[in-house]
Amino acid sequence: METVLASAMAILGTLLGAIVSGRAQERAAARAAEANHREEIRRDRLKAIMDLTSAVSEHRTVMWRRGDAMLKGRSAERIEVLRDESHESRKAVTGPLTALLVLIQDQEVHDAATHMITLTYAMREAFPSPSDLAEADTREAAKDTLTAARYDAVVAHDRFRDVAARYLNAT
């Protein structure tokens, strides 16, 4: 009888050990899956930030080239090509902005992104009008206005980058 009881205890001990070991493995696997999921979300957030800054930077560059072409009196065809490019580069901002707004639920990041985009789009308001181009003094003032608008957009871009970096480093 003692042998049977000892065997039963050994079997029970083995079963309990297997159950405890199995539970520990399940928890470890769940923690690893959760860590992988967090890292995947972090990568997606970083990609959204990078894609948005790249798209806005491209749009800012095209807007500068378009305004500069107007200031330098380039042909209407050249200005039309740059206008089309600026429309396309502006459209390219929408997807990355949407991804960022969905993936990052931080108001400071949203505000910095909106500010960056607003100032980049505002470069259009700095374009010279045909009457501005008639006189050299006015042309120089128009160039200064366009340069200041680009500078403001770059500063907002850098601020967004810094805010987004702080957000990523905190998560």
Side-chain angles (χ1 to χ4, degrees), residues 27-129:
R27 281 190 223 119
R31 282 192 302 271
E34 186 178 317
N36 287 339
H37 180 70
R38 279 193 312 269
E39 183 56 32
E40 186 176 310
I41 288 174
R42 188 176 193 293
R43 276 193 308 267
D44 289 347
R45 288 174 175 161
L46 177 59
K47 183 177 182 336
I49 290 166
M50 291 171 47
D51 289 350
L52 180 60
T53 56
S54 178
V56 170
S57 182
E58 176 64 22
H59 183 61
R60 186 179 62 247
T61 299
V62 171
M63 293 299 286
W64 171 260
R65 288 183 14 229
R66 182 177 166 195
D68 189 55
M70 294 170 76
L71 284 167
K72 290 180 177 173
R74 300 292 186 238
S75 70
E77 295 81 22
R78 176 65 181 147
I79 292 171
E80 184 68 20
V81 166
L82 289 169
R83 185 184 68 80
D84 292 344
E85 284 181 24
S86 69
H87 290 179
E88 290 302 312
S89 65
R90 183 175 175 146
K91 281 191 254 180
V93 170
T94 304
L97 176 60
T98 300
L100 180 117
L101 295 175
V102 168
L103 290 168
I104 298 176
Q105 300 299 313
D106 182 87
Q107 193 59 48
E108 187 179 9
V109 173
H110 290 191
D111 291 346
T114 301
H115 187 65
M116 170 183 66
I117 292 167
T118 299
L119 289 182
T120 301
Y121 290 172
M123 287 179 68
R124 173 63 184 93
E125 302 304 317
F127 284 2
S129 67

Side-chain angles (χ1 to χ4, degrees), residues 12 14 104 160 166:
L12 278 174
T14 302
I104 298 176
F160 169 73
R166 277 194 306 276

